[in-house]
Amino acid sequence: MSKPTLSKVVIPAAGLGTRFLPFSKVIPKEMLPIVDKPALQYIAEEAVASGIKQMLLLTSRHKESMEDHFDLAFELEAILRERNKEEELKMLSQLSTLVSVASVRQQQPLGLGHAVLCAKPWVEGQPIGVMLPDDLLEAPTPCLQSLWECFGRFGFSKGVVALMEVPWEKTHQYGIVSVKPIDENVVRICEIVEKPKSNPPSNLAVIGRYVLPPCIFEKLETVGRGAGGEIQLTDALARMTEAPGLLGYLFRGRRFDTGDKLGFLEANVAFALKRPELKNAFLAYLRQTVEENAQ
Ligand code: UTP
């Protein structure tokens, strides 16, 4: 039998985005710009750089703009062609051929686990990547690719989640794990707790990248409602720790939580400073702003 490949990624994007109201009332928070690209495009680019060919968006009502963003813009492209806007045309053509996009509606926001479960018919019994669009990650090797390499190295059967240390006072906002080291970058997860109110087992948090074997769907189907009355992905992952096993990949790059106001602002500053056409003028503005606000 040939080795499995990672070709499909599921992107749960059906949440309410309450931290970004009123913006997120009619525009999905996944479409918030980081400089001039929606946050979701950075996620799609990481997926493609990791070998992904097909992307499933879990969406909800009023979120069609996410799919439109990756579609042909026939009229716009015709006008750009008439006006000889070659560079813009090239950019749009690269975007509409970046990745094959499908979507499934999660009709009610019953939780992240429920959103992933809605992807089951599309997945067809293969291992999948899951990427949370709020987490913008930067590393020399794309995080999803590192997770897939780890998935293969340990037999193509155990789940792999990305982990990162977070400040102890923020552990109540994350899925937190207790672990046993396997090698420099990989740990075995012994326990996983969703948003612990007290006594977190560590300050190692699950961040928004996963590679999961098909058995995740059986776990999600039987796990029932957990914290907040929602079907929690964390509860299904907890059931994987015994069999087939759950691994953690220690992500060592930079992470921005663009679903949070401060994280969104930080991402914009960091990504603007990476753009040669903006860097000097923006840096001068930041210096002046810091000086004016120092007193
Ligand atoms: P969050 O817990 O960050 O919730 O979901 P949210 O709705 O996006 O944002 P806030 O907290 O209200 O501001 C984590 C991820 O799971 C998806 C979200 O879209 C987000 O990518 N999700 C959550 C779903 O797809 N469906 C759900 O029912 C819940």
Side-chain angles (χ1 to χ4, degrees):
M1 218 174 72
S2 61
K3 275 190 194 161
T5 52
L6 184 66
S7 61
K8 292 186 171 186
V9 72
V10 172
I11 304 198
L16 297 175
T18 51
R19 284 168 295 165
F20 258 100
L21 284 169
F23 174 85
S24 54
K25 183 181 170 193
V26 287
I27 305 175
K29 67 170 175 178
E30 293 77 9
M31 296 304 287
L32 278 164
I34 308 298
V35 187
D36 51 9
K37 287 196 250 180
L40 183 62
Q41 188 177 335
Y42 291 89
I43 305 301
E45 287 170 353
E46 181 192 325
V48 170
S50 305
I52 291 294
K53 304 273 185 274
Q54 298 176 56
M55 176 169 107
L56 181 72
L57 294 170
L58 270 320
T59 69
S60 55
R61 288 176 287 284
H62 314 306
K63 288 195 150 187
E64 293 83 1
S65 59
M66 295 193 293
E67 288 156 82
D68 292 345
H69 185 71
F70 297 96
D71 200 356
L72 262 185
F74 194 77
E75 283 182 26
L76 174 62
E77 290 182 34
I79 296 170
L80 291 175
R81 203 164 292 116
E82 248 173 53
R83 296 183 184 174
N84 294 321
K85 298 267 186 194
E86 296 300 329
E87 224 173 277
E88 289 82 353
L89 265 173
K90 193 171 156 208
M91 181 205 295
L92 292 188
S93 145
Q94 280 169 349
L95 181 56
S96 60
T97 53
L98 180 68
V99 62
S100 155
V101 178
S103 73
V104 166
R105 291 250 177 130
Q106 184 194 19
Q107 292 185 324
Q108 291 180 63
L110 298 179
L112 174 57
H114 179 257
V116 174
L117 188 52
C118 293
K120 186 182 172 189
W122 182 79
V123 168
E124 296 173 326
Q126 301 166 33
I128 46 158
V130 176
M131 299 172 86
L132 301 193
D134 281 356
D135 273 355
L136 192 50
L137 304 182
E138 265 200 314
T141 304
C143 183
L144 189 69
Q145 184 182 328
S146 302
L147 296 192
W148 177 250
E149 281 162 10
C150 186
F151 184 76
R153 194 146 61 89
F154 291 90
F156 294 101
S157 61
K158 298 177 180 19
V160 190
V161 306
L163 299 175
M164 208 171 180
E165 279 189 22
V166 295
W168 283 93
E169 66 277 12
K170 292 197 172 166
T171 47
H172 67 280
Q173 298 172 6
Y174 293 88
I176 299 291
V177 293
S178 71
V179 301
K180 289 216 165 78
I182 294 182
D183 69 22
E184 200 192 338
N185 291 321
V186 183
V187 293
R188 184 166 76 78
I189 295 178
C190 310
E191 189 195 359
I192 176 166
V193 198
E194 179 66 9
K195 302 191 174 120
K197 290 197 176 80
S198 57
N199 302 324
S202 75
N203 67 337
L204 266 183
V206 178
I207 57 169
R209 299 291 183 274
Y210 315 74
V211 168
L212 300 172
C215 72
I216 185 63
F217 294 110
E218 292 153 33
K219 313 276 181 202
L220 283 168
E221 274 162 347
T222 53
V223 79
R225 296 196 183 205
E230 295 188 338
I231 298 181
Q232 297 287 353
L233 182 60
T234 306
D235 294 344
L237 293 173
R239 293 188 170 197
M240 288 177 67
T241 53
E242 287 293 317
L246 188 64
L247 302 173
Y249 168 79
L250 303 172
F251 176 70
R252 301 197 195 275
R254 281 174 94 187
R255 167 179 177 263
F256 300 93
D257 178 1
T258 60
D260 167 79
K261 286 187 259 290
L262 187 60
F264 163 74
L265 294 170
E266 287 170 357
N268 265 295
V269 171
F271 280 73
L273 290 175
K274 287 190 342 174
R275 298 281 283 265
E277 76 278 20
L278 293 174
K279 184 176 172 174
N280 289 342
F282 190 45
L283 204 52
Y285 166 76
L286 288 177
R287 284 205 181 100
Q288 187 192 338
T289 308
V290 169
E291 226 167 81
E292 285 169 6
N293 288 276
Q295 301 87 17

